[in-house]
Amino acid sequence: MEERYAGPNVYRPMMAGLFVGIIATVFNIFYDVMYRQSTGFELSTIINVSTLIFGTLLLTLAAGSVYALLAQFLKKPALVYIILFGLLAVLCLRFALHVYRTDDPRENHEFHQLFAAIVIITSLATLCVPLLVKKGSNII
């Protein structure tokens, strides 16, 4: 006989966040490498492999935690989550396009392109969390 845990379900949202985080990290690193090779962009003190791995994974894991909290207290957590993280994605993208990184306009523009793409990839990954947490989904 299988016993089911009746408490708050945080396992599926956290694992969904971790799963999309791993996928987004691979895409972020792939984009970073391809972008740097094609443009010759060298500023790597902020955006490098370490910050991409830890930043993306921690952000998507936090997104899974937020979804778990919303699922515990709201009737339609997916809708609220998508609206909340959609607005957060737009704000982060706006911030990414207005960061002043260096005095060289060309390098500043290249940094905006790299940073904005990473924000978009990570945002799309966080928006996939409710799809993976769905009851019928057996991915997680």
Side-chain angles (χ1 to χ4, degrees):
M1 179 198 287
E2 183 179 323
E3 253 183 67
R4 302 227 15 122
Y5 176 66
N9 190 8
V10 289
Y11 174 77
R12 287 183 67 89
M14 296 283 285
M15 289 299 111
L18 189 61
F19 181 71
V20 297
I22 292 170
I23 293 171
T25 300
V26 170
F27 278 113
N28 280 338
I29 291 173
F30 179 74
Y31 179 78
D32 182 53
V33 168
M34 296 307 291
Y35 184 80
R36 288 179 191 273
Q37 285 181 351
S38 66
T39 61
F41 183 66
E42 292 295 324
L43 289 176
S44 64
T45 55
I46 293 176
I47 299 176
N48 55 34
V49 174
S50 301
T51 57
L52 288 176
I53 292 171
F54 290 113
T56 305
L57 284 175
L58 289 175
L59 286 173
T60 55
L61 195 59
S65 301
V66 168
Y67 185 78
L69 283 173
L70 291 174
Q72 189 173 6
F73 295 112
L74 298 176
K75 207 172 231 185
K76 294 190 178 189
L79 179 65
V80 174
Y81 176 88
I82 289 173
I83 291 171
L84 179 70
F85 275 88
L87 290 173
L88 189 61
V90 169
L91 289 174
C92 288
L93 185 60
R94 183 181 163 119
F95 171 74
L97 294 174
H98 289 89
V99 172
Y100 182 76
R101 177 74 175 98
T102 181
D103 290 332
D104 185 11
R106 184 182 62 82
E107 285 188 356
N108 212 21
H109 180 69
E110 289 175 350
F111 178 77
H112 288 159
Q113 289 178 336
L114 178 64
F115 191 38
I118 289 169
V119 167
I120 290 169
I121 291 168
T122 307
S123 299
L124 288 175
T126 59
L127 291 175
C128 291
V129 169
L131 298 173
L132 295 175
V133 174
K134 232 172 44 172
K135 295 282 187 220
S137 173
N138 288 327
I139 294 174
I140 308 261

